[in-house]
Amino acid sequence: MIRWQMQMQRQHKAAHGFTLLELLVVMVIIGLLAAYVGPKYFSQVGRSEVRMAQAQIDALEKSLHQYRLDVGNYPSTEQGLASLVTAPNNEPRWQGPYLSKAAPLDPWRKPYVYKYPGDRSEFDLFSFGKDGQPGGENENADITNW
């Protein structure tokens, strides 16, 4: 009888735990899933940063157009995007602010580049992308208003 009780207790304990092999199999499955899903997730993050930069450039571009309608011309390169928030000293027709707060940084924490007159359009407004260098591909590509 005692032997039978000990055998039942061993079976009972074994039924409550996992073997090392079972744990390793689960860890391998989780690792495979992470290896498959991880790159897809992080590529989406990169694409969303690019889309965010494009949306910010569009919004800044609209504010610059409104500035031009009021003042008669776009702010100079020296005045920059700050003139969308605070009136330039020599501009009596300024009706702003054209932005509720200072111009945002791009998604990679760098300021947008503004140039008037522009080389490629009436004014150039762009970000150099993730790498902060001219040119590039994918996330490193320049995001522009032209």
Side-chain angles (χ1 to χ4, degrees):
M1 178 87 145
I2 294 176
R3 189 179 212 185
W4 179 77
Q5 284 179 335
M6 288 176 56
Q7 191 176 21
M8 290 301 289
Q9 284 177 345
R10 273 190 246 136
Q11 287 177 353
H12 185 67
K13 283 183 182 178
H16 287 294
F18 294 104
T19 66
L20 182 60
L21 183 60
E22 290 170 328
L23 290 173
L24 288 174
V25 168
V26 168
M27 296 291 280
V28 166
I29 291 171
I30 290 172
L32 289 172
L33 286 172
Y36 178 74
V37 173
K40 291 184 184 285
Y41 170 75
F42 287 111
S43 71
Q44 288 289 43
V45 169
R47 281 193 286 253
S48 68
E49 288 173 332
V50 169
R51 281 190 231 115
M52 185 165 137
Q54 289 168 335
Q56 287 176 334
I57 285 175
D58 288 343
L60 290 170
E61 192 173 23
K62 288 176 179 141
S63 296
L64 286 163
H65 291 315
Q66 184 63 47
Y67 179 98
R68 183 184 59 95
L69 286 173
D70 290 345
V71 174
N73 59 305
Y74 293 106
S76 67
T77 302
E78 293 77 29
Q79 292 170 324
L81 298 175
S83 61
L84 296 174
V85 179
T86 57
N89 290 333
N90 58 349
E91 200 51 70
R93 296 185 294 176
W94 190 84
Q95 303 279 323
Y98 301 95
L99 294 174
S100 59
K101 55 185 176 183
L105 297 176
D106 70 13
W108 303 281
R109 312 301 299 156
K110 297 177 183 87
Y112 286 100
V113 178
Y114 171 74
K115 184 177 178 186
Y116 176 77
D119 295 328
R120 303 202 181 192
S121 64
E122 197 165 6
F123 62 87
D124 293 346
L125 180 61
F126 57 95
S127 165
F128 287 120
K130 185 176 184 175
D131 64 354
Q133 302 294 320
E137 295 179 9
N138 301 323
E139 295 171 36
N140 295 329
D142 298 346
I143 297 115
T144 67
N145 71 318
W146 61 84

